[in-house]
Amino acid sequence: MRILVVGAGATGGYFGARLALAGRDVTFLVRPRRAEVLRRRGLRITGLGTEEVLDPRWVTADRLDGAYDLVLLTVKATALGPALDDLAPAVGRDTVIVPVLNGLAHLDVLTGRFGAGRVFGGVAKVLTTLDDEGDIVRLAPPATLILGETDGGSTPRADRIGALLDGVPGMETEVSADVLGAMWAKWALIVTVSSVNLLGHGTVGEVVAEPGGERLGPAVLAEAAAVADASGHPLPAEQRAATAALVTEDGSPLTTSLYRDVLAGVHSEAEHLFGDLTARARTLGASTPLLDLATLRLRVAEGQVRRRQNALSAPRAATGRSPGRTP
């Protein structure tokens, strides 16, 4: 089976590299800037005392060579629209697309574009980041890819894809009969940690260290869990307990990429993760005052980014003086 990995960043680069090193037929679809890094340095995975270098097969959108059997979509929601335009020529009659974006809003976008029969649900659990050189730095051992049919159950094609991805060193693959439940669980985790960062304006450990800070994470988690429950995907008790422990850990340096985007003054997945969740809460009648406040915080930050960008792109006003005017 031909596999196209859309994106070669911290997530797609890691899983794609693992598959390629295990002998799977993998091609990365990348933008020109990332292509230049791959051309110059290769695809490098460092961290945890190891370094691996792969000379991957990659293409840019203008060089796609027909349909692929499996498309692993690993971009952020902020890049989803352009990515779908880029990968469209790779989608054939029997192509299966596995997106590993957080949240659920992208499923509607993908099924509207390519049809529900081509779209799986997916969750990536991996702790990686890109360094200043564009190399992938692995921060902790877990690396799991969960996928499955969005309407649940087991199918022969899901089993075939699971078998293709199984047995790859450095990653685990799980074919889930309830992939939407897994997606809800990760969504709740992401918005809970992000809300602690946003509302406490610090790392988990910095928030927990202050009086009352240890109550913030569990309170946000309760709101997210209520929305998941009202949607028909209650969070498993063990996952809820693990998330609660994560957001009350003393000294934890944990921040999410969404919070780091806000600090960097760039666009974040605000609407994809928070706007969509709070809109669902309103529809379902779930009360989410803390998530609403975090959503407002994100929208203010997004407005600030837009205004800065508009100011930079606006034509400069003329500075010459009109004839006859005194200074």
Side-chain angles (χ1 to χ4, degrees):
M1 294 178 72
R2 299 177 75 209
I3 303 172
L4 183 70
V5 179
V6 183
T11 299
Y14 181 81
F15 284 111
R18 295 265 70 92
L19 291 166
L21 289 168
R24 306 307 192 263
D25 184 356
V26 175
T27 300
F28 292 92
L29 175 61
V30 295
R31 289 297 181 89
R33 184 175 177 181
R34 186 59 173 161
E36 179 55 34
V37 174
L38 298 179
R39 182 185 293 111
R40 178 169 45 87
R41 293 183 58 81
L43 185 59
R44 294 171 181 257
I45 301 176
T46 66
L48 304 184
T50 63
E51 180 171 0
E52 296 173 288
V53 182
L54 171 69
D55 184 16
R57 182 189 305 126
W58 56 264
V59 294
T60 51
D62 59 324
R63 297 294 182 92
L64 276 174
D65 56 349
Y68 285 74
D69 301 294
L70 175 64
V71 175
L72 183 61
L73 179 60
T74 69
V75 300
K76 282 190 173 184
T78 50
L80 182 59
L84 297 190
D85 292 337
D86 288 348
L87 71 85
V91 179
R93 185 186 62 183
D94 298 319
T95 300
V96 172
I97 304 170
V98 178
V100 293
L101 291 76
N102 296 319
L104 274 83
H106 58 280
L107 292 182
D108 290 337
V109 177
L110 283 162
T111 56
R113 179 76 178 263
F114 300 112
R118 294 190 178 94
V119 180
F120 271 28
V123 174
K125 297 182 178 180
V126 63
L127 292 173
T128 52
T129 188
L130 287 184
D131 65 15
D132 292 340
E133 296 292 333
D135 298 340
I136 298 167
V137 182
R138 194 177 184 195
L139 304 175
T144 303
L145 187 62
I146 304 173
L147 57 92
E149 302 276 3
T150 57
D151 55 1
S154 177
T155 63
R157 69 171 181 170
D159 292 338
R160 284 196 301 272
I161 292 172
L164 172 71
L165 305 182
D166 195 25
V168 174
M171 64 177 278
E172 295 183 1
T173 300
E174 176 186 338
V175 178
S176 174
D178 182 23
V179 72
L180 291 184
M183 294 174 71
W184 268 102
K186 188 176 182 188
W187 195 5
L189 166 66
I190 295 295
V191 297
T192 298
V193 179
S194 295
S195 294
V196 171
N197 298 149
L198 289 162
L199 300 179
H201 199 61
T203 67
V204 166
E206 289 170 339
V207 175
V208 169
E210 301 304 324
E214 77 284 355
R215 297 196 299 271
L216 178 58
V220 177
L221 176 59
E223 293 184 4
V227 183
D229 186 63
S231 299
H233 297 280
L235 305 184
E238 65 275 13
Q239 292 184 338
R240 185 165 176 173
T243 300
L246 198 65
V247 293
T248 54
E249 182 181 351
D250 289 336
S252 171
L254 183 61
T255 61
T256 62
S257 62
L258 182 146
Y259 177 62
R260 294 192 295 273
D261 286 341
V262 171
L263 291 182
V266 299
H267 286 298
S268 71
E269 295 179 302
E271 292 302 325
H272 187 80
L273 293 178
F274 278 79
D276 185 38
L277 186 66
T278 54
R280 291 173 191 250
R282 299 291 79 76
T283 300
L284 296 165
S287 177
T288 55
L290 291 171
L291 287 168
D292 291 345
L293 184 57
T295 303
L296 176 60
R297 169 75 181 90
L298 285 166
R299 286 172 173 162
V300 171
E302 286 293 300
Q304 292 168 340
V305 173
R306 287 194 301 270
R307 286 189 289 276
R308 281 195 299 271
Q309 291 178 338
N310 290 339
L312 289 173
S313 62
R316 293 182 179 274
T319 57
R321 298 188 180 94
S322 298
R325 293 187 61 184
T326 58

